[in-house]
Amino acid sequence: RARAVVIIGPDRHRVARDVPAGLPVLHARLQPEGRLLDLVGRQVIAFAGIGRPAKFFDALRDAGIAPVRTLPFPDHHAYTRRDLSLLEGLDQQPGTRLVTTPKDAVRLPPELRARITVIGTKLQWETPHAAENLLDRLVGSRTDL
């Protein structure tokens, strides 16, 4: 029932080769956005409690930010006192900067959140306007709207 396939990042599992003929395949990658310049020359420790934390960490690396440590947490992670104590300890190391996602930042106490760099991500389409063009075609072909 899919009307298109979107592959985000490298097609490591070779999904595109199994897509039925005629089904559009769009390619995109996650691109970090936010205060990236704040991270230049810093020892970055990235943490995330999202569905696939590795995608966030990879997006940072792709942007030229190489975390010295990554801390993956489960999706929708409720940060415990122990987690917060670990993060606060890491934040105290000279030259270190903690980095996380907007989704994780809102689950942190305000005083810790203020000391963390929040980096969101956006989709960067391989072909500009590919998604809009596809949506225009799909919506234009619907007769049940």
Side-chain angles (χ1 to χ4, degrees):
R1 294 191 321 208
R3 304 289 298 269
V5 173
V6 176
I7 298 173
I8 301 172
D11 189 5
R12 292 186 181 113
H13 300 286
R14 302 179 72 175
V15 171
R17 73 173 185 193
D18 296 326
V19 173
L23 192 63
V25 177
L26 300 157
H27 295 270
R29 65 182 174 88
L30 290 176
Q31 180 175 337
E33 59 181 1
R35 300 184 56 97
L36 298 174
L37 290 178
D38 289 351
L39 305 176
V40 174
R42 305 292 293 269
Q43 291 188 36
V44 172
I45 298 174
F47 67 98
I50 56 178
R52 296 189 58 205
K55 280 203 175 248
F56 175 66
F57 305 146
D58 288 344
L60 291 173
R61 288 184 193 97
D62 290 346
I65 300 160
V68 295
R69 184 171 179 187
T70 57
L71 301 168
F73 291 96
D75 197 15
H76 303 286
H77 185 65
Y79 291 95
T80 65
R81 284 188 188 153
R82 185 176 184 186
D83 298 331
L84 297 174
S85 178
L86 169 66
L87 294 172
E88 295 217 6
L90 293 170
D91 184 51
Q92 299 303 316
Q93 296 178 12
T96 298
R97 188 67 183 177
L98 295 179
V99 177
T100 196
T101 69
K103 179 180 167 184
D104 289 287
V106 298
R107 289 181 272 154
L108 299 171
E111 63 276 1
L112 179 57
R113 187 181 325 138
R115 298 190 316 263
I116 293 174
T117 300
V118 178
I119 302 293
T121 56
K122 66 178 181 178
L123 277 180
Q124 181 70 40
W125 296 100
E126 186 176 283
T127 305
H129 307 293
E132 291 90 351
N133 294 340
L134 175 65
L135 288 171
D136 287 344
R137 274 196 338 258
L138 292 175
V139 171
S141 69
R142 299 227 15 208
T143 59
D144 60 343
L145 291 179

